[in-house]
Amino acid sequence: MEYEGHFGADELYIKMKSSDSNISRATVYNTLELLAQCELLSKRNFGENKTRYESNVGKTSHDHLICTNCGAIKEFSEPKIQKIVKEISSEIGFDSTGYSFNIFGKCTNPNCGQNKNAK
Ligand SMILES: [Zn+2]
Ligand SMILES: [Zn+2]
């Protein structure tokens, strides 16, 4: 829950392993799934064929801008989007349990693209 930002199950597993934890990979995966079901974590998919998680604790609902060049992820909160989701759902007669809204593009960071492996 203390992990800042958006992480994959493998990243968390490697991090826990490097801090001398005996946790198994399956336990990490299963626990993340469970926490997501309890809505303590949000599951994200930023179009990379990989599920990422982020803590919901102390966070308001927000959406993301993803730089396809350097992988930077920025967050924003826009109540209008939530309103639209509600409106469309009730118009069509749909009980929405969540939505995902991602904006892809290139960030304005001058270092963008220089360190492709940095997250
Ligand atoms: Zn986020
Ligand atoms: Zn970038």
Side-chain angles (χ1 to χ4, degrees), residues 67 69-70 72 107 112-113:
C67 177
N69 198 33
C70 72
C107 72
C112 177

Side-chain angles (χ1 to χ4, degrees), residues 48-117:
E48 334 151 279
N49 207 8
K50 167 183 164 181
T51 301
R52 289 176 192 253
Y53 297 87
E54 83 179 294
S55 169
N56 278 337
V57 175
K59 288 203 137 187
T60 50
S61 72
H62 61 271
D63 296 295
H64 301 88
L65 298 120
I66 299 105
C67 177
T68 51
N69 198 33
C70 72
I73 298 164
K74 295 178 191 294
E75 300 185 331
F76 69 95
S77 191
E78 176 50 75
K80 269 188 236 163
I81 294 170
Q82 286 152 48
K83 205 171 152 241
I84 290 167
V85 170
K86 272 202 190 102
E87 279 171 12
I88 292 173
S89 301
S90 75
E91 222 168 86
I92 294 174
F94 194 79
D95 186 16
S96 78
T97 52
Y99 71 94
S100 102
F101 187 87
N102 297 325
I103 300 173
F104 296 95
K106 195 169 171 287
C107 72
T108 51
N109 187 328
N111 296 322
C112 177
Q114 281 180 17
N115 43 354
K116 274 193 191 279
N117 293 320

Side-chain angles (χ1 to χ4, degrees), residues 20-70:
D20 283 336
S21 167
N22 285 322
I23 197 157
S24 79
R25 196 179 169 139
T27 304
V28 172
Y29 273 77
N30 293 338
T31 306
L32 286 171
E33 274 305 305
L34 203 66
L35 289 171
Q37 274 170 32
C38 301
E39 295 181 3
L40 289 166
L41 293 176
S42 282
K43 266 172 120 168
R44 308 287 190 197
N45 191 321
F46 297 138
E48 334 151 279
N49 207 8
K50 167 183 164 181
T51 301
R52 289 176 192 253
Y53 297 87
E54 83 179 294
S55 169
N56 278 337
V57 175
K59 288 203 137 187
T60 50
S61 72
H62 61 271
D63 296 295
H64 301 88
L65 298 120
I66 299 105
C67 177
T68 51
N69 198 33
C70 72

